[in-house]
Amino acid sequence: MSSLQSFIVAIQLAERRRDAARQTVSNLQNARAAAQGQLDQLQGYAQETQGRWGASEGRVMQPVVLQHHHQFMGRLEHAIGLQGQVVRTQDQRVAGARQTLLQAELRLASLRKVLERRQAELALAQQRREQKATDERAALRLAGVAARYSMEE
């Protein structure tokens, strides 16, 4: 039974690791969603700003104002690029965490399968012991009946 207890402890540990991996995946997915939200906000702001400037194309603007607008849009595009990299990094982290979760689930499944086999082996061995004991009792009873029968003759 101690070997079964060892497997049960190993399964409990594997379940905790699987649960921790599942929580990590969830946390990373939330962080990725937040990063994507920030990227979407930046892109929306850039489109909105560009749309406002496009609507005022007929107006005459000071060269300094145009220069500031281009600088601002350049910085905004740079920020969008950086945030896109953050999203891609988060994608990689989520993929890695999912792989870790998959490995934890496979480990847990294999431990459970081994435990089931061990339990089946022990049950079969117990059944055989019980059958052997039953057979021995039956043989002893038969020997007793045969002995009484031979005494009667």
Side-chain angles (χ1 to χ4, degrees):
M1 255 328 152
S2 66
S3 68
L4 288 183
Q5 190 60 35
S6 298
F7 275 106
I8 291 169
V9 170
I11 287 172
Q12 290 170 344
L13 178 62
E15 285 173 342
R16 285 194 296 276
R17 286 182 179 165
R18 185 243 1 240
D19 293 344
R22 193 176 282 161
Q23 185 62 46
T24 299
V25 168
S26 177
N27 292 344
L28 289 174
Q29 286 173 330
N30 291 339
R32 194 256 181 235
Q36 182 64 49
Q38 289 176 340
L39 178 60
D40 293 344
Q41 280 183 325
L42 286 170
Q43 290 172 333
Y45 183 65
Q47 289 174 349
E48 180 183 316
T49 302
Q50 195 61 35
R52 277 190 302 225
W53 278 87
S56 61
E57 283 183 19
R59 289 190 305 171
V60 176
M61 296 198 188
Q62 299 279 334
V64 172
V65 173
L66 269 173
Q67 181 182 8
H68 285 296
H69 171 70
H70 286 297
Q71 286 176 347
F72 175 75
M73 290 306 293
R75 288 186 185 128
L76 191 54
E77 289 299 322
H78 180 71
I80 288 170
L82 291 175
Q83 191 61 30
Q85 182 58 41
V86 168
V87 170
R88 288 187 291 279
T89 300
Q90 289 295 343
D91 284 338
Q92 292 170 351
R93 293 179 72 196
V94 167
R98 282 185 177 150
Q99 185 63 35
T100 300
L101 174 59
L102 177 63
Q103 290 171 353
E105 288 175 341
L106 290 173
R107 172 83 174 141
L108 179 58
S110 67
L111 284 171
R112 284 181 175 159
K113 190 58 119 175
V114 170
L115 178 62
E116 287 174 16
R117 271 186 275 173
R118 292 283 167 95
Q119 287 172 328
E121 289 170 3
L122 287 174
L124 182 59
Q126 179 64 29
Q127 184 182 22
R128 286 181 179 159
R129 281 191 300 274
E130 289 171 1
Q131 184 63 47
K132 183 179 177 184
T134 301
D135 291 347
E136 287 173 357
R137 281 193 304 270
L140 287 175
R141 266 192 240 138
L142 182 60
V145 168
R148 273 186 265 150
Y149 180 73
S150 65
M151 282 189 199
E152 292 176 5
E153 291 182 357

